[in-house]
Amino acid sequence: MAKSLKDYLLEFDIKYKDVEYFDSTFHKNTLGVVSYASRAKAIDVKGSYSEEYIRTRFVYALVNSGFFPKEHLCIEFNIPKGNNGKALKPDIVAFKNKDWLQTYEHAKANKDFKVLRQNYLVIFETKNNNKSLESAIENQLRPALAENESKERVFGVYFDDKTDILVFKKIGNSPLRRFDESIELSGSGLINLNYDKRDGLFDFPTFKDFENNNASISDVTKLTTDALDAIDEVAFEDFLAELKRIADKEKPKHSERDLIVEFLTLKVFDEKRSKRDKSNLNFYIEAKEKKTDGLAEKSFRERIDKLYKDAKREYVNVLATPYFSYDTQLRPTNSNEERFLIALVESLQKRAILKAKNESFNQIIFNNFGNEKQKADNGQFFTPIPVVKSIIQMLNPIKDEELCDPCCGICDFPAMAFRHAHRKDEEYPPNASHYYGFDIENNNLKLAELNLVLNGDGGAVLKNMNSISQKLLENGSILKLGEFTKQNFEIETWRHKDDTDKELKKFKIIATNPPFGKGRDLKTGADGKWDVAKETIELYETYKAKPTPNSNGQITLPNSMDMGVIFLENAFKLLEDGGRMGIVLSNSIASISEWENVRTWFIERMRIVGLFDLPANTFGETGVATTVIIAYKPKADEKHLLDNDYEIFIKEVENIGYEVKTVKRTITFKPQFVINEETFEHTSQLDEDFSIMQKEFKEFLKRQELEIKNGFNFDKC
């Protein structure tokens, strides 16, 4: 039976138990390894094995087991940091080739260490106990790995006096990751390296394993989803910045955002198919496929053209009428757009989007490539993901419950609801056809479908419609403009007066952040202008609930209406009895006297379960103060839930855990961390109030009536 690494560690303890000191001479003569180590004791002042003992023992095991060839190893190598003579001193370095020493000497003579920094394969850090584990990884191992200048991965290993170890990987400027990404903890879209869970020594990769791991991404024709590392926020920011520069140069015919959404959909489809079918990826370009003019050879065009056709069957909204395509002669519709595609493929072919923990990629794309006037005119400052997730967690959707966002934008509420409902599934959860999103901007629905693809299945029902004046029917069709009027529908119930085939589709959950505020009011008669037909706006009870009598006792109907109020009523009337809603509104709607009648109308019909205020900086660009309403629509036999005074969960959120920043011309959501009051250093804990709010909300639900508990799936929290 072959001996394990652990066997060789024990063998070392027996053979060298009487050695008092270790140094470079011992390393060279006994282990055959180049070493720059100084003389150090084997036992420390506490009578425990010293750091030098643990390091030497580990190298002994690596060499004698045959796991690592001794010619590739160096103990206490000085890693040059830049070209200014400063150095890092990791405990052990394993180089890719055995000629590393000559490369080192040549680099010192020429004061150019770039080639040497492309030669690192594995860097090891040793401690004699685990008390400084996190510090050793963050302050020693991570900076050493960051010196790698290769386009391949570099690996890191931490070990101490414990049996098990920790193994990491890093590529380019991406964050440090665990070698086995499944060990990482997820949460808030950030990478949690989970230092508490170690890798078993019996699973420790050999030198050849590390080489093969890199080889798995070296040949682009043999790439698989499983072999790729997840793209992270840093790499995604650099990717977008590079695409902006390319777009400035190439000037594609269509908007960069539309092209990015289309091309990323191909990438995601390719990854999902590769994982499902255990097949090689097709979203790549070989060096020989790129012409001198920046355009592509026939083989690339054939591959991408087929990818378009295959993906179109699954992602209709994005690819039904693509912006870019090849004709029957495989000529691109636009040469500059093919160059843009090639640049995107080259940047992403060795990264996996589906493995990404970041949940805000779509918002980053929209914020950086959306039309500024379009965003401002339509109030399209989408709800940051931490807020979306918090609302969804409170609504607590479960599998098969139908959820709708009637002004969905890029569909963050359905996407996060899908994730929440299927959070315990291993992979490939069921179809998402019970999630619905409506939006007046058709281009948003392309980004919405990509969002749903990134966060799960992508099979939600997305409709391009004005959900104030158009409604989805039970049969799946959409009312035409001009049909949803008081002549055709009852005001209180929105039931069709004559045609039972025109029953409106209703939902178990409504989750939405509608446009609101004075700048985006609906004109309802001001200067004779109606943004929505008078016959339609009169179906909304809040239109007549807002005004109060003047001094003569006459009621004058408003010339404009806050769309937030209209969408509040829309949400109520599209809810099933026993349904629940979460809606983001202007703080003024929830508080000032102008809307008192509207609030009265609402609380007579809905049980308000929770209210929480968000600070003015929540939405970055807008600076508006907002209130989130969580409410329940009682069933016919539950009207008693409205009769008496009842408790409402109220919270004021002060810390949101992120800050909107522009870096390298790219708008991003930068996490904000709690500061240690003693050391004044940032901790790994996000500075946010949402987590504690969720715990408090669950405690609140414990005290509520059974109908409220059941309505919010309390037993499935």
Side-chain angles (χ1 to χ4, degrees):
M1 181 176 176
K3 292 165 68 175
S4 66
L5 274 181
K6 187 176 180 181
D7 292 329
Y8 284 102
L9 294 176
L10 295 173
E11 180 179 284
F12 182 89
D13 290 339
I14 296 170
K15 291 179 68 173
Y16 301 105
K17 65 181 186 330
D18 296 326
V19 175
E20 295 183 10
Y21 294 92
F22 295 104
D23 57 15
S24 59
T25 302
F26 182 93
H27 297 150
K28 181 179 180 181
N29 295 339
T30 307
L31 307 179
V33 173
V34 173
S35 173
Y36 297 98
S38 302
R39 193 167 186 255
K41 290 182 177 180
I43 304 297
D44 64 19
V45 293
K46 296 181 180 179
S48 302
Y49 289 140
S50 68
E51 188 172 303
E52 185 55 70
Y53 183 98
I54 292 171
R55 175 170 68 176
T56 304
R57 179 175 60 172
F58 199 80
V59 175
Y60 176 89
L62 292 179
V63 171
N64 285 276
S65 64
F67 269 41
F68 276 66
K70 59 187 176 184
E71 298 87 357
H72 291 251
L73 294 173
C74 179
I75 295 175
E76 204 162 309
F77 178 72
N78 287 354
I79 288 187
K81 193 173 183 181
N83 293 318
N84 59 6
K86 293 183 179 179
L88 299 166
K89 293 185 177 182
D91 288 303
I92 310 163
V93 176
F95 293 93
K96 292 176 183 175
N97 62 66
K98 62 182 180 181
D99 300 326
W100 66 268
L101 194 54
Q102 293 94 307
T103 305
Y104 181 39
E105 295 299 332
H106 185 269
K108 286 194 295 183
N110 293 278
K111 296 184 178 179
D112 184 357
F113 296 95
K114 183 174 182 178
V115 175
L116 181 71
R117 288 196 289 267
Q118 293 173 346
N119 201 0
Y120 308 143
L121 181 65
V122 189
I123 295 173
F124 301 76
E125 192 59 46
T126 318
K127 292 296 172 189
N128 66 340
N129 60 65
N130 66 343
K131 291 181 180 178
S132 56
L133 180 154
E134 187 168 350
S135 175
I137 294 169
E138 295 297 326
N139 301 321
Q140 293 172 266
L141 189 58
R142 189 192 293 267
L145 294 173
E147 289 299 306
N148 174 54
E149 290 197 22
S150 167
K151 292 184 179 180
E152 296 181 318
R153 297 183 182 114
V154 62
F155 305 94
V157 177
Y158 168 87
F159 63 96
D160 48 33
D161 58 343
K162 305 297 181 185
T163 301
D164 293 334
I165 57 178
L166 291 103
V167 187
F168 304 92
K169 62 184 177 182
K170 192 177 188 302
I171 185 170
N173 62 350
S174 294
L176 196 64
R177 304 296 300 268
R178 291 296 290 268
F179 185 76
D180 178 0
E181 291 180 16
S182 67
I183 292 175
E184 296 171 0
L185 297 175
S186 47
S188 305
L190 301 173
I191 298 169
N192 184 326
L193 294 173
N194 192 12
Y195 295 139
D196 291 336
K197 186 171 183 180
R198 296 194 175 206
D199 300 279
L201 196 62
F202 57 90
D203 287 329
F204 183 61
T206 66
F207 183 87
K208 194 65 178 176
D209 290 333
F210 285 121
E211 281 190 321
N212 290 341
N213 191 282
N214 262 332
S216 69
I217 61 168
S218 61
D219 184 351
V220 294
T221 68
K222 297 179 180 178
L223 294 175
T224 63
T225 301
D226 289 338
L228 302 183
D229 289 339
I231 191 168
D232 55 89
E233 186 172 308
V234 173
F236 197 70
E237 289 171 10
D238 289 345
F239 159 66
L240 288 183
E242 178 62 22
L243 285 186
K244 283 187 176 183
R245 289 191 290 272
I246 293 168
D248 290 343
K249 176 185 175 184
E250 302 296 347
K251 296 180 174 54
K253 176 183 176 182
H254 296 98
S255 79
E256 298 97 313
R257 186 190 81 166
D258 292 336
L259 291 172
I260 289 170
V261 170
E262 189 167 296
F263 298 157
L264 286 184
T265 302
L266 296 181
K267 165 71 171 164
V268 171
F269 168 79
D270 194 34
E271 287 184 22
K272 294 187 84 168
R273 183 172 63 178
S274 167
K275 188 168 183 65
R276 182 186 65 229
D277 300 343
K278 301 187 184 306
S279 58
N280 292 335
L281 294 163
N282 289 292
F283 193 82
Y284 69 85
I285 184 166
E286 295 185 87
K288 64 183 182 182
E289 292 181 314
K290 189 174 177 181
K291 298 179 181 178
T292 54
D293 61 0
L295 297 178
E297 295 286 357
K298 181 182 177 182
S299 57
F300 173 81
R301 292 177 175 180
E302 287 177 334
R303 191 164 59 250
I304 295 298
D305 186 56
K306 187 175 187 309
L307 195 54
Y308 260 102
K309 292 174 182 175
D310 292 344
K312 184 177 180 178
R313 289 193 287 270
E314 287 196 30
Y315 304 127
V316 178
N317 283 297
V318 179
L319 300 174
T321 309
Y323 294 106
F324 176 81
S325 63
Y326 293 106
D327 64 17
T328 55
Q329 302 299 313
L330 290 176
R331 292 172 299 201
T333 49
N334 184 280
S335 295
N336 288 342
E337 290 183 357
E338 184 180 61
R339 294 187 181 97
F340 193 69
L341 167 62
I342 290 169
L344 187 145
V345 171
E346 287 180 316
S347 296
L348 290 182
Q349 60 189 357
K350 293 187 179 182
R351 301 294 180 89
I353 291 180
L354 287 181
K355 293 182 180 180
K357 297 189 186 307
N358 190 297
E359 298 154 333
S360 303
F361 283 160
N362 275 41
Q363 293 194 355
I364 294 172
I365 293 171
F366 178 84
N367 286 332
N368 287 283
F369 289 95
N371 179 283
E372 292 302 321
K373 186 177 187 303
Q374 176 192 15
K375 285 190 285 187
D377 288 351
N378 294 289
Q380 293 176 0
F381 300 104
F382 297 132
T383 323
I385 292 299
V387 178
V388 175
K389 289 177 69 175
S390 191
I391 293 170
I392 290 299
Q393 286 170 3
M394 295 174 89
L395 293 173
N396 193 27
I398 59 175
K399 294 178 183 180
D400 300 325
E401 285 189 319
E402 291 187 322
L403 177 144
C404 176
D405 183 347
C407 43
C408 66
I410 59 175
C411 245
D412 283 321
F413 281 104
M416 291 301 106
F418 186 88
R419 272 201 174 198
H420 179 84
H422 297 284
R423 63 194 182 279
K424 295 179 182 178
D425 292 353
E426 289 298 323
E427 56 183 90
Y428 299 118
N431 185 278
S433 59
H434 47 286
Y435 293 85
Y436 294 77
F438 312 144
D439 202 87
I440 197 169
E441 291 290 335
N442 192 46
N443 280 351
N444 284 343
L445 295 184
K446 287 179 176 285
L447 196 51
E449 185 167 51
L450 174 61
N451 197 8
L452 292 159
V453 169
L454 290 172
N455 286 289
D457 174 79
V461 179
L462 303 178
K463 300 292 184 180
N464 178 209
M465 58 186 260
N466 182 340
S467 56
I468 292 176
S469 53
Q470 296 175 280
K471 305 297 173 186
L472 183 69
L473 301 179
E474 277 285 357
N475 62 18
S477 63
I478 300 172
L479 281 177
K480 296 177 182 178
L481 283 172
E483 285 190 84
F484 186 62
T485 65
K486 68 175 183 178
Q487 287 78 17
N488 296 328
F489 289 84
E490 300 286 348
I491 292 176
E492 290 188 3
T493 62
W494 283 0
R495 289 191 173 180
H496 201 281
K497 294 179 179 179
D498 304 313
D499 193 344
T500 56
D501 289 336
K502 291 190 175 179
E503 286 292 318
L504 304 191
K505 173 72 178 172
K506 296 197 174 184
F507 306 93
K508 190 69 174 180
I509 305 171
I510 302 286
T512 189
N513 178 10
F516 52 74
K518 291 289 185 184
R520 294 183 289 276
D521 275 7
L522 283 176
K523 300 295 186 295
T524 53
D527 301 322
K529 182 177 180 182
W530 292 81
D531 289 331
V532 175
K534 185 174 186 290
E535 294 78 10
T536 294
I537 205 67
E538 286 180 336
L539 274 174
Y540 287 86
E541 296 175 77
T542 50
Y543 169 60
K544 295 182 179 179
K546 178 188 175 183
T548 54
N550 59 23
S551 58
N552 298 322
Q554 297 174 322
I555 292 178
T556 303
L557 293 174
N559 288 325
S560 66
M561 283 291 293
D562 191 313
M563 279 200 285
V565 172
I566 297 297
F567 272 106
L568 180 68
E569 181 174 349
N570 188 54
F572 163 73
K573 289 184 175 176
L574 293 184
L575 270 183
E576 299 176 0
D577 288 351
R580 55 203 187 275
M581 73 161 70
I583 186 169
V584 183
L585 294 175
S586 166
N587 184 262
S588 63
I589 295 174
S591 59
I592 68 174
S593 59
E594 178 182 0
W595 301 107
E596 183 177 351
N597 289 349
V598 169
R599 291 194 296 275
T600 300
W601 174 89
F602 186 72
I603 63 176
E604 287 175 351
R605 293 159 176 79
M606 291 285 286
R607 167 72 173 256
I608 297 179
V609 177
L611 296 169
F612 65 92
D613 291 339
L614 296 167
N617 61 331
T618 300
F619 295 88
E621 301 97 327
T622 64
V624 65
T626 52
T627 296
V628 176
I629 300 174
I630 306 293
Y632 175 76
K633 185 176 183 178
K635 298 175 184 177
D637 60 351
E638 295 176 343
K639 299 303 182 184
H640 61 278
L641 294 174
L642 305 176
D643 292 341
N644 302 311
D645 290 341
Y646 55 82
E647 182 184 9
I648 299 174
F649 176 82
I650 297 176
K651 182 79 173 180
E652 183 171 353
V653 175
E654 296 179 353
N655 303 303
I656 55 178
Y658 64 86
E659 181 181 4
V660 181
K661 282 192 171 184
T662 302
V663 181
K664 298 178 182 177
R665 299 171 60 202
T666 302
I667 299 171
T668 57
F669 299 90
K670 290 294 182 185
Q672 300 293 296
F673 297 97
V674 173
I675 295 176
N676 186 310
E677 294 182 358
E678 294 182 1
T679 64
F680 299 103
E681 294 180 350
H682 286 93
T683 67
S684 59
Q685 179 185 349
L686 280 176
D687 189 13
E688 50 85 20
D689 299 335
F690 295 116
S691 299
I692 187 66
M693 183 174 75
Q694 295 303 324
K695 294 177 182 177
E696 292 172 352
F697 185 67
K698 287 181 182 178
E699 288 298 316
F700 161 82
L701 284 178
K702 288 180 181 179
R703 304 190 294 271
Q704 304 313 302
E705 298 92 333
L706 184 61
E707 295 92 336
I708 299 298
K709 289 181 182 178
N710 291 340
F712 283 79
N713 299 317
F714 179 72
D715 61 335
K716 298 181 178 67
C717 285

